[in-house]
Amino acid sequence: MTPSSTSASNVPGKPAGDGLRFYGVWLLGIAALIVLPMIFSSGGSLTSFSLIGIAIVFALSYNILLGQTGLLSFGHAVHYGLGGFAACHMMNAVVAHKWPIPLPFIPLFGGLGGLVFAIIIGWVMTKRAGTVFAMISLGIGELVASSSLILRSVFGGEAGITTDRTALPKIFGWSFGPQVQVYYLIAFWLVLSAIAMYALTRTPLGRISNAVRDNPERVQFIGYDPHVVRYLAFCFAGFFAGVAGGLAAINFEIANSAYLGAIQSGLVLFSTFIGGTAYFFGPILGAILVTYLQLGLTSVTSVWQLYFGIIFIGIVMFSPGGIAGLLMMHRPLVRAGTLLTVIPSYFVAIVPTLALACGVILTIETVARFSGGETINLFGVGFKPQSPVTWIVALVLLVGGGFVARLSWGRIAEAWDRAATVARDRGYLA
């Protein structure tokens, strides 16, 4: 036996348990998508799950740009909106010409709508990265959004383009009139898109996109063109954003200028960054949280967008890695068996941190409702915005809770350092 073959045979392989856990996570997620409508069968729950599924596909497509390739886009909603319009026009064409195309294939045409636009504008946009790309994406996004109100033959003006998903040919007896059938259609495309985008991260293109994100000069030195890599990533992101837009058009049976606006681009940016761009499941967590907060806060307060901004600022300041980064920080401690030494500090910090959060909420709502005089209901306790007691309680919670919270956070940092030191000594933390 040659020395080279001996050394190769001694290279440790990937443990079989890792592969089982990998496929187990995917199967568990698919099973959860199947079982959810059986547990939460109300119309409101199914609608919420459908919106979350669309948001996940959209956020994962955005992460191809931001997380994988390092391209910050302020106009990603353009591909989402154009995908929605393409899906609506295709559904109307299928009904008008009686083409034998069932509804489950329509999101593919939405993806093609986003892809075609990405192919047209992407070559120029991706010549530069960083601030230049961000500003160009913002300009093009606003240009297309404003054009949607002018080109009525394509975008339908302010009313948008309406359609009827039940008029398309049935498949397996499903007319997709009930919301549960629409949910399963969205869940199917969610799984298909997530698998495809995860597989993309494992391809040579996905790996070289990471290299372009980190060091484009070195990528060019080894023989790859960063411009071409960014362009291909931009096209893939546009396609999957179009798929998400097509799913939204199917769900709402309408596509309008709101699909293309800056608010839509901002929401997907929030979802991706809050969830965490460094891990594939980060945008999934962010999309779930942002969609849930959007659905919940819009019916409670008129300044819900302000809360999104505060959450975004907090993530940027205290956890640049997002929610996924926070979760993955605990992985070495779990493996080393030192996590239990940190948990008591977490419990100690919960009370003052909640008090600080209540102080922030009460302060915002008091200022927002001061002129109207509407009563503030904070966890079952009523506060009048014009009452001095409300201002005193808000000040006590804000200042007192913030002071005690800072002390408790220091205790968490000390406990974390001790646990991390033990984990490092055991070889689980670099």
Side-chain angles (χ1 to χ4, degrees), residues 1-13:
M1 183 178 294
T2 62
S4 59
S5 62
T6 303
S7 59
S9 62
N10 292 331
V11 175

Side-chain angles (χ1 to χ4, degrees), residues 391-406:
W391 291 91
I392 293 174
V393 172
L395 183 63
V396 170
L397 290 174
L398 196 62
V399 177
F403 178 75
V404 180
R406 286 297 299 268

Side-chain angles (χ1 to χ4, degrees), residues 49 79 98 151 222 225 269 302 304 344:
F49 295 150
H79 310 283
K98 301 186 185 311
L151 304 176
I222 63 176
D225 188 353
L269 172 60
S302 59
W304 58 273

Side-chain angles (χ1 to χ4, degrees), residues 103-398:
L103 190 68
F105 291 94
I106 295 299
L108 180 62
F109 294 96
L112 292 176
L115 174 61
V116 168
F117 188 75
I119 292 174
I120 294 174
I121 68 169
W123 186 257
V124 176
M125 287 186 60
T126 56
K127 281 183 176 293
R128 299 286 297 275
T131 305
V132 175
F133 176 85
M135 293 298 102
I136 293 176
S137 66
L138 177 62
I140 291 180
E142 291 303 307
L143 176 64
V144 176
S146 60
S147 300
S148 65
L149 301 176
I150 302 173
L151 304 176
R152 296 181 178 272
S153 60
V154 179
F155 299 103
E158 295 181 356
I161 303 295
T162 58
T163 186
D164 182 8
R165 62 174 180 255
T166 60
L168 274 72
K170 296 182 180 179
I171 182 171
F172 304 123
W174 283 24
S175 64
F176 295 97
Q179 185 63 35
V180 64
Q181 296 181 4
V182 178
Y183 163 79
Y184 278 119
L185 172 61
I186 294 174
F188 169 78
W189 274 98
L190 167 60
V191 173
L192 191 64
S193 301
I195 292 175
M197 283 185 274
Y198 181 80
L200 178 64
T201 64
R202 296 321 205 193
T203 61
L205 175 61
R207 298 301 192 186
I208 203 65
S209 296
N210 298 156
V212 169
R213 174 198 63 196
D214 298 333
N215 196 330
E217 290 80 8
R218 179 162 294 185
V219 169
Q220 191 171 12
F221 179 76
I222 63 176
Y224 291 94
D225 188 353
H227 177 209
V228 175
V229 175
R230 289 193 292 261
Y231 177 64
L232 293 175
F234 186 80
C235 291
F236 276 107
F239 173 79
F240 287 108
V243 169
L247 293 173
I250 291 174
N251 184 62
F252 295 110
E253 296 181 298
I254 187 174
N256 52 33
S257 58
Y259 283 35
L260 301 162
I263 294 179
Q264 199 70 41
S265 296
L267 286 175
V268 72
L269 172 60
F270 285 174
S271 300
T272 308
F273 199 90
I274 289 173
T277 60
Y279 301 95
F280 183 80
F281 68 92
I284 298 176
L285 298 178
I288 294 173
L289 176 63
V290 170
T291 305
Y292 180 77
L293 289 177
Q294 184 182 11
L295 295 174
L297 292 178
T298 50
S299 60
V300 176
T301 177
S302 59
V303 291
W304 58 273
Q305 293 177 336
L306 179 59
Y307 290 102
F308 277 177
I310 293 174
I311 294 174
F312 183 77
I313 292 173
I315 291 293
V316 171
M317 292 179 59
F318 300 107
S319 178
I323 299 175
L326 284 176
L327 294 177
M328 295 303 291
M329 283 173 57
H330 296 78
R331 189 177 182 183
L333 304 188
V334 173
R335 290 182 171 181
T338 59
L339 181 62
L340 293 177
T341 61
V342 184
I343 291 179
S345 301
Y346 286 163
F347 282 112
V348 171
I350 286 178
V351 175
T353 302
L354 288 178
L356 174 61
C358 290
V360 172
I361 295 172
L362 187 57
T363 302
I364 293 174
E365 295 300 325
T366 302
V367 174
R369 306 186 188 191
F370 184 80
S371 59
E374 183 182 355
T375 302
I376 303 169
N377 186 5
L378 184 63
F379 300 109
V381 181
F383 294 93
K384 295 184 178 299
Q386 296 177 343
S387 172
V389 177
T390 302
W391 291 91
I392 293 174
V393 172
L395 183 63
V396 170
L397 290 174
L398 196 62

